[in-house]
Amino acid sequence: MTLEGKTAVITGGSRGIGRAICKKLAGSGFNVGINYVSNPTAAEETLALVEQQGGKGFLCPFNVADTDAVNEAFKKITQDIAPVDILINNAGITRDGLMARMKDSDWQAVMDTNLKGAFSCSKAAMRGMMKSKWGRIVNITSVIGFLGNGGQVNYAAAKAGLVGLTKSMARELAGRNITVNCVAPGYIVTDMTDGLDSDIQQAILAQIPLGSLGEPEDVAASVAFLTSDDAKYITGQTIHVNGGMYMGN
Ligand code: NDP
């Protein structure tokens, strides 16, 4: 079955892992919606990269944490372009700090973007998928959701929550031929990990059997697989892309 021409939206598609996913899915022949919230220049660069490689894309700025903005954006994409066939919930932020000092606003911001954002975008996108009886949703969780991490209770809880969301959605949507899966990256070289002190980087590297941080393209390859017809019988699962840092389920 060819999936060429299907419409994909990648939240946080403008930079880092999201940019690599946009390029990879455009290479699969999908028309990729590049979402971002604050940095149009990065999003335009991503669109240019997609077009340079002969792919099709469009920009779709909205804040995933704002449910009304999400609903409005998916309505507009459906009207102006096409119903969304493939959704990659990738947008994510960190607001790190030890729990004893963590502000409620730092807890809430991470929950709203990393967990509620995936819920709202999925809910808005799945209407069209249910109608067409085909869809793919991939949620980008994290190794931290499985291991936990001091200083990241908000992030770890949101990422672990995505796994429960994924499994429940997979059960609800399987009858409509919509698969829902997670990809759980380990430490990947992006702006998010750029600020880590070199001693922290060394400590992380010591826990990675393959001996290096990952690249955004390593994550994008698994996302592309899960959106492909080769993965049509896989749902409710997590693919770990972490150099062996975590080997559980
Ligand atoms: P980056 O910080 O490099 O990029 C984040 C992207 O998300 C940007 O495109 C940003 O847009 C967008 N974004 C942030 N908040 C919102 C929002 N409220 N609404 C819409 N878009 C938003 O992150 P990474 O590429 O490193 O991470 C991507 C995903 O992978 C995240 O979910 C992250 O938690 C996860 N991950 C990353 C790992 C890593 O080591 N890098 C490891 C494990 C998981 P803008 O520029 O406009 O703000």
Side-chain angles (χ1 to χ4, degrees):
M1 180 185 176
T2 176
L3 305 182
E4 186 107 16
K6 290 206 177 279
T7 303
V9 167
I10 298 92
T11 69
S14 57
R15 291 190 283 121
I17 292 171
R19 174 179 284 181
I21 295 171
C22 287
K23 286 167 62 188
K24 186 75 180 174
L25 296 192
S28 302
F30 305 153
N31 186 13
V32 293
I34 303 162
N35 163 255
Y36 64 97
V37 67
S38 64
N39 184 344
T41 310
E44 278 153 19
E45 273 170 27
T46 302
L47 179 59
L49 290 166
V50 161
E51 288 175 346
Q52 267 166 34
Q53 63 174 38
K56 276 184 71 182
F58 57 96
L59 300 181
C60 49
F62 59 88
N63 179 358
V64 299
D66 177 344
T67 307
D68 290 341
V70 167
N71 289 336
E72 196 52 45
F74 278 87
K75 209 165 119 191
K76 195 164 159 34
I77 295 167
T78 303
Q79 277 167 4
D80 295 356
I81 304 203
V84 174
D85 305 295
I86 297 154
L87 170 67
I88 316 299
N89 286 307
N90 164 78
I93 58 168
T94 52
R95 293 283 184 277
D96 296 352
L98 291 174
M99 186 165 168
R101 288 197 293 268
M102 184 174 284
K103 294 189 199 115
D104 281 9
S105 56
D106 289 334
W107 169 269
Q108 203 56 49
V110 169
M111 285 296 155
D112 285 350
T113 300
N114 298 14
L115 184 55
K116 196 192 79 176
F119 164 76
S120 310
C121 291
S122 300
K123 198 172 162 194
M126 72 192 213
R127 294 186 191 112
M129 295 180 192
M130 288 170 82
K131 243 188 234 162
S132 65
K133 294 201 168 56
W134 193 95
R136 296 277 187 271
I137 298 175
V138 181
N139 295 322
I140 307 299
T141 175
S142 167
V143 70
I144 300 303
F146 293 82
L147 287 174
N149 196 21
Q152 289 198 305
V153 290
N154 48 1
Y155 186 80
K159 292 299 188 181
L162 274 180
V163 178
L165 175 75
T166 299
K167 290 178 179 175
S168 304
M169 284 179 57
R171 289 182 188 277
E172 284 195 19
L173 298 175
R176 300 293 182 115
N177 195 26
I178 301 167
T179 67
V180 189
N181 291 287
C182 282
V183 172
Y187 282 85
I188 308 296
V189 180
T190 69
D191 295 343
M192 193 177 264
T193 46
D194 213 23
L196 292 175
D197 293 340
S198 74
D199 50 337
I200 295 182
Q201 280 226 14
Q202 287 311 314
I204 291 167
L205 280 173
Q207 298 170 49
I208 302 175
L210 283 176
S212 63
L213 301 190
E215 290 167 2
E217 289 71 21
D218 296 324
V219 180
S222 287
V223 173
F225 167 66
L226 287 171
T227 62
S228 75
D229 208 39
D230 288 340
K232 69 184 191 315
Y233 197 56
I234 299 175
T235 196
Q237 307 299 318
T238 296
I239 298 183
H240 293 274
V241 183
N242 61 28
M245 187 179 179
Y246 171 78
M247 298 187 184
N249 287 312

